[in-house]
Amino acid sequence: MGNLPQISEAEFEVMKIVWKYAPINTNEITDKLLQTTSWSPKTIQTLIKRLVKKGALAYEKQSRVFVYTPIIKESEYIDQESNSFLKRYYHGDITAMLSAYIEDDKLSEAEIKHLRFLLSDKSKKGGS
């Protein structure tokens, strides 16, 4: 998929629910978000409508309720956001990003060990 829609932090919270539970209706989305946010049901409905307008969600009416499914894949959206972050702050240089995290003690020993494992495993498999 090409450029995915820009999604706000609040809209992203709605998307996480839809990605996890789709197909899901308006009331179910609202119930789940009321457990973790202080948003009103009207706010949640507004966020859902915005996501439909942006092309992130599709819906179909089933009797008296609207049931939503994601149009964009979670992995595609996360990849786009990760790449955007990497380009914006590290000029696309993942080595610079990892170096900054390591030098600023933002990675634990366990995380560094896991990265070593991933890199070692990738090189054994002949990855680039």
Side-chain angles (χ1 to χ4, degrees):
M1 186 172 257
N3 267 352
L4 302 176
Q6 287 294 313
I7 295 175
S8 71
E9 287 295 319
E11 292 165 346
F12 184 66
E13 292 303 312
V14 175
M15 288 301 297
K16 288 194 294 189
I17 298 295
V18 177
W19 281 320
K20 187 171 184 178
Y21 299 103
I24 184 170
N25 70 44
T26 309
N27 293 335
E28 293 168 328
I29 294 170
T30 302
D31 290 345
K32 291 188 182 310
L33 286 169
L34 288 175
Q35 295 172 21
T36 59
T37 70
S38 58
W39 300 338
S40 72
K42 191 142 185 79
T43 298
I44 295 167
Q45 289 176 0
T46 299
L47 293 169
I48 293 168
K49 285 178 190 170
R50 282 188 199 159
L51 288 164
V52 168
K53 189 174 182 181
K54 289 180 176 186
L57 291 180
Y59 69 91
E60 82 177 33
K61 193 168 185 180
Q62 294 180 357
S63 66
R64 305 181 115 204
V65 296
F66 289 96
V67 177
Y68 297 89
T69 54
I71 294 174
I72 60 176
K73 292 181 181 169
E74 183 176 17
S75 60
E76 288 177 340
Y77 185 75
I78 300 286
D79 284 349
Q80 174 182 280
E81 290 302 297
S82 298
N83 288 333
S84 174
F85 174 83
L86 189 60
K87 286 177 188 166
R88 180 179 297 148
Y89 297 104
Y90 297 98
H91 308 291
D93 185 351
I94 194 162
T95 305
M97 183 188 78
L98 286 172
S99 295
Y101 273 77
I102 292 167
E103 288 168 13
D104 293 342
D105 292 326
K106 291 180 183 168
L107 294 178
S108 68
E109 280 301 317
E111 290 168 325
I112 293 169
K113 185 177 179 181
H114 186 67
L115 283 171
R116 280 190 184 118
F117 170 77
L118 291 173
L119 292 169
S120 171
D121 191 50
K122 182 78 172 168
S123 66
K124 287 177 189 170
K125 292 179 180 175
S128 51

